[in-house]
Amino acid sequence: GEDAGAARAAIGYRLLAAKHPATRVWAVTLAQNAPEATRRLAQHARGEENPAVLGRIARALRTSAGKDPEITSLLIELSRHAHRAVRREAAASLASSWAFGEPSSLARVEEIVRDTGEELSVRKSTCKALGRRGEASSLELLEKMTSAPPPEPDLYPACFAGLMAMWARPATHAAPSERAYEATMERLERKPRSERLPPWDTLSSLKWVATPKLQEIAPWVDRARVERA
């Protein structure tokens, strides 16, 4: 109940001062759903040095990404942290659908995808998340990263997954992208094929083509064409 939640949050706030990082990570989990947690966790992050704690805070702030300028600014700052795990969690929050429509978070996410100096694992997870966010303006970047030949072959599967997420995914966007669908099909129909093209491991998302919900809101999806591809 409400009283129990408040009690958990109060314990969490106290434990944020604990010496051991693992205890502080647990403290974030206890506190994150409280009404004032966003402000308190953001304030703590300013003085926190442990990467595990910072990464957990970045994840806890995800639902406020794009809604609160202070939180968006903090997440952008954390996306430049020296530790990869912190950058990855911050980028995931910036790329989440919670931040839909917020320009500075989107600009930073696209910057991460383009940044050849960033670690590949961070860029991969960010490119996938970019598609799930569903911003129409991101299509140009996703199309570029999945063009033929791929500008960065190691990044191609993740960005292809992002491209498909613009129209075919379990939690379907209110407005799936027809342009992303056409781009996906054009890439699937390319010949000749190889072990890497198309990225076979990413094609499981195509099973959502058969769902009634997608057929209802995206009548332009040609199921027979997808099956032929």
Side-chain angles (χ1 to χ4, degrees), residues 107-228:
R108 177 58 186 145
V109 168
E110 292 184 351
E111 181 182 15
I112 292 168
V113 172
R114 292 188 179 98
D115 184 5
T116 56
E118 177 58 87
E119 292 197 37
L120 185 61
S121 64
V122 177
R123 297 176 71 205
K124 283 181 175 180
S125 61
T126 304
C127 205
K128 288 181 182 178
L130 178 63
R132 292 193 296 268
R133 175 166 167 159
E135 302 271 7
S137 60
S138 299
L139 265 173
E140 182 177 352
L141 176 58
L142 291 172
E143 288 171 340
K144 176 182 177 181
M145 301 307 293
T146 56
S147 59
E152 295 186 60
D154 289 338
L155 196 59
Y156 181 88
C159 290
F160 193 90
L163 181 66
M164 288 195 298
M166 294 285 289
W167 65 278
R169 58 182 296 237
T172 308
H173 294 299
S177 170
E178 184 173 4
R179 174 177 162 184
Y181 161 73
E182 290 293 346
T184 300
M185 296 310 302
E186 186 263 325
R187 285 151 178 75
L188 287 176
E189 293 165 346
R190 285 174 183 162
K191 301 292 189 297
R193 293 177 169 179
S194 68
E195 291 183 358
R196 301 188 68 180
L197 299 176
W200 305 101
D201 290 345
T202 69
L203 301 186
S204 60
S205 294
L206 294 177
K207 65 185 178 183
W208 301 106
V209 168
T211 59
K213 177 65 174 177
L214 185 61
Q215 291 292 315
E216 175 187 345
I217 63 177
W220 32 262
V221 171
D222 185 340
R223 183 175 174 181
R225 182 185 178 192
V226 174
E227 292 174 350
R228 286 195 303 271

Side-chain angles (χ1 to χ4, degrees), residues 8-20 23-28 30 44:
R8 284 196 301 271
I11 295 171
Y13 294 143
R14 289 199 300 273
L15 292 179
L16 283 173
K19 181 179 180 180
H20 201 285
T23 305
R24 299 200 300 278
V25 169
W26 177 238
V28 176
L30 290 173
H44 180 81

Side-chain angles (χ1 to χ4, degrees), residues 1-147:
E2 186 174 332
D3 291 343
R8 284 196 301 271
I11 295 171
Y13 294 143
R14 289 199 300 273
L15 292 179
L16 283 173
K19 181 179 180 180
H20 201 285
T23 305
R24 299 200 300 278
V25 169
W26 177 238
V28 176
T29 302
L30 290 173
Q32 66 180 10
N33 293 322
E36 74 280 14
T38 296
R39 178 182 59 82
R40 296 282 291 268
L41 293 177
Q43 183 179 26
H44 180 81
R46 297 294 184 186
E48 178 62 65
E49 296 182 355
N50 183 268
V53 182
L54 284 172
R56 188 64 188 84
I57 290 175
R59 188 189 310 174
L61 296 177
R62 191 159 300 172
T63 57
S64 298
K67 298 176 182 177
D68 183 325
E70 181 182 350
I71 300 303
T72 303
S73 177
L74 172 62
L75 289 169
I76 289 173
E77 180 181 331
L78 291 177
S79 76
R80 296 188 171 98
H81 192 271
H83 200 283
R84 172 182 58 193
V86 179
R87 297 197 307 275
R88 183 168 54 244
E89 290 290 355
S93 291
L94 291 169
S96 74
S97 58
W98 295 100
F100 185 89
E102 200 288 315
S104 65
S105 59
L106 181 61
R108 177 58 186 145
V109 168
E110 292 184 351
E111 181 182 15
I112 292 168
V113 172
R114 292 188 179 98
D115 184 5
T116 56
E118 177 58 87
E119 292 197 37
L120 185 61
S121 64
V122 177
R123 297 176 71 205
K124 283 181 175 180
S125 61
T126 304
C127 205
K128 288 181 182 178
L130 178 63
R132 292 193 296 268
R133 175 166 167 159
E135 302 271 7
S137 60
S138 299
L139 265 173
E140 182 177 352
L141 176 58
L142 291 172
E143 288 171 340
K144 176 182 177 181
M145 301 307 293
T146 56
S147 59

